[in-house]
Amino acid sequence: MRRKICVTGVFRKLFERTFARSAGNVSVSAGSYRNKQAAQKAGFFLLFCCILATLLFLGSIVYFIFAGGSKVVTWGFLTQWPRNAMTEGGIFPALLGTFYLTLGAVTVALPLGLACAVYLCEYTPGSLALNAIRIGINNLAGVPSVVFGLFGLAVFVKFFGFGVSVLSGSLTLGILILPGIISASQEALMAVPNSLREASFALGATRWQTIKKIVVPQALPGILTGVILSIGRAAGETAPILFTAAAFYTRRYPQSPFSEVMALPYHIYALMTEGTHPRQQTVIAYGSALVLLILVLLISGTAVFIRQRHRSYNG
Amino acid sequence: MDKEIRMRAEGVNFFYGSRPALKDVNLEIYRNQVTAIIGPSGCGKSTFIRLLNRMNDMVPKSRLEGRIFLDGDDIHDPETDVVDIRRRVGMVFQKPNPFPKSIFENIKYGLEINGMRDKSVIEDKVVDSLKKAALWEEVKGRLYDSALRLSGGQQQRLCIARCLAVEPEVILFDEPCASLDPISTARIEELLMELKQEYTIVIVTHNMQQAARVSGNTAFFLLGEIVEFGKTQDIFTKPRDSRTEAYITGRFG
Ligand SMILES: Nc1ncnc2c1ncn2[C@@H]1O[C@H](COP(=O)(O)OP(=O)(O)O)[C@@H](O)[C@H]1O
Ligand SMILES: [Mg+2]
């Protein structure tokens, strides 16, 4: 009850402050003034409810995952292999597999994406082709991830014959995160002031020297931010590795890029849909989900941190 | 005074898209002299000076007619190496634009891209050009500090040092003092007086006194055309065109 009063109080203050600003140059009759006031109050109340609902969803996701998973997540959970048909033990091979897949994806996507971005920004400024390519890349970013999975299955697994493997999965995830890396890099490159390019050219530098020694180093923090966010995405996706890389269970560490691997998101999916001990498996699935959630949050947090630091340096 | 022509613009027209920015500009720039370019904002001063080292090459959809010579060679000739032109004709910009690197590295960069590898030679060159730009005494203890921590005037002198290091023959200044305080401006002006012994200089300036003090020749631009070009003394004491007179006495622009 007390909370409710407090909320309305804050609410009224907010409302009054907003209204005070616009009141100065508008003269209205008392009646319509009261009507407007009521309408505004109702509007704010709706907005507040929306925020509350959003927070509620977010909070409950985190709560359920913590409640379900926090009991099993220990150091041993992170470092041990699964035991007893997945009903005990840890998730180490899945963590390792996710690490390999993500590393592979970035290895594929970073050079390709950076090269694309440099070409689009530094070599073909403002052309029609540029806009067409940009639209294409943005659309690629909107393709559902399961479609990337099917593409990976058709092209890397089947056509190139890489099989269900770290390699196929990395390539598929790499293509998935490519648009993100390209647009982050493009943004970072465009944020480099033109005056630096001109300073370099005026000293007799070629375009290539300018890009390599001035523009890209200056854009690096922005590019890195994009890469880290992509890592978070690649680590968390299930659909692209479903047909291309992931195994329910492997007995050994992956021996080569052509081995199939366990991976964290797929591990969760598998625990919930396959196996013979659903009750014990569910707890482990929650534990895995918690680990994945923390991992992705940590990774995104690092990106935010880098961006913030970079901003304060240049500001 | 010997009157050897270093650079020459011949019937230069320049267009941004279809909009003309320069109309039939003819101008000679003499060796070891300061040529000042004055005129109201937007009259094409920057456009012209940037043509002298081909900085406008990068402007999309722009078009040049006419020719510009450096020691008798057409600098826009397809055979001409643009990198070589830009090294021989250096440029200092309106806003100081040091690289976000150390003071030392700012100067080293230009040397390295021009193929200098020997560490001790590079070090000597850095010190040398800082001295020439009258910055050495202020920065000798902190060569490895970020150039961005220098004051605006110091940054501009660093940009001049960076330019001098690659040994240009002609130096273009596009309103080098526009963003500086009066004391920094005075220091840059002093420096210009020193540099003109050794280099051919073209300077765009909004400051009439500055133009009168440092330059030998002055060109007055208006709406993309040269209204008057001649000895600075003549332009400022007995202008032939009424518009020139109006401008230098501050009655418009
Ligand atoms: N990159 C550009 N694209 C299109 N128009 C430009 C560009 N740069 C300058 N202009 C135009 O050309 C004219 C001359 O500009 P500028 O040479 O910068 O003048 P000034 O240096 O004398 O102030 C102005 O009208 C300006 O708007
Ligand atoms: Mg200008």
Side-chain angles (χ1 to χ4, degrees):
Chain A
M1 210 49 213
R2 186 184 292 156
R3 182 185 226 132
K4 201 168 189 180
I5 292 164
C6 171
V7 165
T8 359
V10 168
F11 187 59
R12 183 169 301 140
K13 244 181 227 157
L14 202 77
F15 155 73
E16 276 163 1
R17 213 179 298 148
T18 321
F19 196 77
R21 234 175 256 142
S22 54
N25 43 15
V26 191
S27 67
V28 284
S29 72
S32 81
Y33 174 87
R34 220 165 284 131
N35 279 347
K36 278 189 182 169
Q37 203 170 15
Q40 186 152 312
K41 234 174 192 171
F44 270 116
F45 184 67
L46 261 175
L47 287 181
F48 184 75
C49 289
C50 293
I51 294 171
L52 211 64
T54 313
L55 287 179
L56 210 70
F57 285 133
L58 258 175
S60 54
I61 291 175
V62 174
Y63 172 77
F64 278 115
I65 290 180
F66 258 93
S70 59
K71 283 184 293 285
V72 290
V73 177
T74 58
W75 183 243
F77 187 71
L78 299 178
T79 55
Q80 287 169 9
W81 281 70
R83 284 193 311 268
N84 283 346
M86 303 269 181
T87 57
E88 282 172 41
I91 53 167
F92 181 67
L95 266 177
L96 190 71
T98 287
F99 173 75
Y100 283 145
L101 285 170
T102 310
L103 190 72
V106 170
T107 312
V108 171
L110 179 58
L112 221 60
L114 186 55
C116 270
V118 164
Y119 183 80
L120 290 177
C121 282
E122 306 291 323
Y123 283 97
T124 54
S127 71
L128 207 72
L130 178 86
N131 285 331
I133 295 172
R134 190 169 290 157
I135 291 170
I137 290 168
N138 286 343
N139 279 330
L140 201 61
V143 172
S145 55
V146 69
V147 176
F148 283 100
L150 288 173
F151 171 81
L153 174 67
V155 176
F156 302 126
V157 178
K158 293 278 187 317
F159 181 76
F160 285 112
F162 297 153
V164 173
S165 64
V166 175
L167 184 61
S168 298
S170 294
L171 289 167
T172 311
L173 283 173
I175 294 178
L176 175 87
I177 61 174
L178 196 56
I181 289 193
I182 293 176
S183 41
S185 306
Q186 256 186 322
E187 238 168 75
L189 291 171
M190 282 193 294
V192 176
N194 236 344
S195 62
L196 293 184
R197 292 185 183 86
E198 290 196 328
S200 173
F201 288 136
L203 291 168
T206 60
R207 236 174 225 283
W208 178 239
Q209 287 169 325
T210 304
I211 290 167
K212 202 174 83 180
K213 298 220 172 131
I214 304 292
V215 180
V216 169
Q218 178 71 1
L220 211 54
I223 295 170
L224 267 182
T225 310
V227 169
I228 294 173
L229 288 175
S230 304
I231 289 177
R233 171 115 201 260
E237 282 284 352
T238 318
I241 55 171
L242 199 57
F243 327 116
T244 58
F248 178 50
Y249 182 70
T250 54
R251 241 165 241 296
R252 298 191 298 170
Y253 292 113
Q255 303 295 307
S256 78
F258 296 103
S259 314
E260 50 179 10
V261 285
M262 296 175 69
L264 213 41
Y266 181 73
H267 192 56
I268 298 168
Y269 170 76
L271 284 169
M272 297 303 284
T273 55
E274 291 170 44
T276 47
H277 304 278
R279 249 171 37 112
Q280 288 98 316
Q281 283 174 208
T282 303
V283 181
I284 296 187
Y286 269 107
S288 311
L290 182 58
V291 171
L292 185 59
L293 185 73
I294 291 173
L295 208 65
V296 171
L297 283 181
L298 274 181
I299 291 169
S300 312
T302 314
V304 172
F305 177 71
I306 290 184
R307 188 163 13 193
Q308 223 54 30
R309 231 171 66 127
H310 179 58
R311 209 172 267 162
S312 59
Y313 270 145
N314 281 15
Chain B
M1 188 181 286
D2 90 42
K3 282 256 176 180
E4 188 190 336
I5 293 178
R6 203 67 218 271
M7 294 191 83
R8 192 170 80 244
E10 234 180 53
V12 168
N13 293 295
F14 190 80
F15 303 85
Y16 291 111
S18 58
R19 258 191 52 222
L22 293 173
K23 284 172 234 154
D24 192 29
V25 170
N26 294 285
L27 191 72
E28 292 90 40
I29 291 156
Y30 297 98
R31 179 186 286 278
N32 293 4
Q33 264 212 13
V34 177
T35 303
I37 296 177
I38 59 172
S41 287
C43 67
K45 306 182 296 294
S46 297
T47 303
F48 178 72
I49 201 171
R50 288 164 59 89
L51 282 173
L52 299 180
N53 68 341
R54 292 186 53 177
M55 287 306 282
N56 283 339
D57 281 16
M58 268 93 61
V59 181
K61 300 199 180 80
S62 62
R63 188 160 56 85
L64 170 78
E65 288 168 3
R67 292 193 290 178
I68 295 170
F69 296 95
L70 171 63
D71 291 339
D73 302 321
D74 182 353
I75 65 170
H76 288 87
D77 189 284
E79 298 282 292
T80 307
D81 180 8
V82 59
V83 164
D84 181 57
I85 294 296
R86 295 206 185 116
R87 201 194 50 69
R88 289 171 63 193
V89 184
M91 185 159 208
V92 175
F93 297 82
Q94 177 168 349
K95 229 180 113 224
N97 55 357
F99 300 122
K101 302 167 182 265
S102 74
I103 295 167
F104 185 84
E105 282 175 291
N106 259 277
I107 298 174
K108 190 175 100 175
Y109 176 71
L111 299 170
E112 273 184 350
I113 56 170
N114 284 294
M116 205 173 282
R117 288 283 169 269
D118 189 328
K119 248 179 142 183
S120 64
V121 178
I122 289 180
E123 273 167 23
D124 289 348
K125 273 265 169 201
V126 169
V127 175
D128 210 41
S129 35
L130 282 171
K131 280 181 178 159
K132 268 192 190 165
L135 188 60
W136 173 246
E137 288 303 321
E138 287 156 70
V139 301
K140 61 184 174 189
R142 47 173 175 149
L143 287 183
Y144 298 96
D145 279 9
S146 166
L148 300 182
R149 256 178 255 144
L150 298 172
S151 75
Q154 289 172 327
Q155 287 189 5
Q156 194 62 302
R157 274 178 283 147
L158 176 62
C159 292
I160 295 174
R162 182 174 71 182
C163 171
L164 294 177
V166 299
E167 298 180 351
E169 298 155 28
V170 181
I171 307 177
L172 312 172
F173 290 87
D174 190 354
E175 300 188 40
C177 305
S179 61
L180 304 183
D181 62 90
I183 293 172
S184 305
T185 300
R187 299 213 57 173
I188 301 260
E189 217 174 277
E190 253 172 61
L191 182 56
L192 282 170
M193 302 299 252
E194 300 253 319
L195 294 178
K196 76 175 174 186
Q197 317 292 330
E198 232 181 296
Y199 301 89
T200 303
I201 290 174
V202 184
I203 179 171
V204 172
T205 176
H206 270 297
N207 182 332
M208 292 306 114
Q209 287 88 26
Q210 189 173 63
R213 276 194 300 265
V214 302
S215 68
N217 285 328
T218 296
F220 173 52
F221 275 61
L222 193 60
L223 299 172
E225 286 176 281
I226 293 192
V227 173
E228 200 167 338
F229 173 54
K231 280 216 171 77
T232 299
Q233 212 180 349
D234 297 342
I235 298 261
F236 279 90
T237 54
K238 40 182 196 262
R240 273 170 282 131
D241 197 294
S242 61
R243 291 170 295 177
T244 314
E245 190 182 356
Y247 183 73
I248 58 174
T249 54
R251 268 185 282 131
F252 83 94

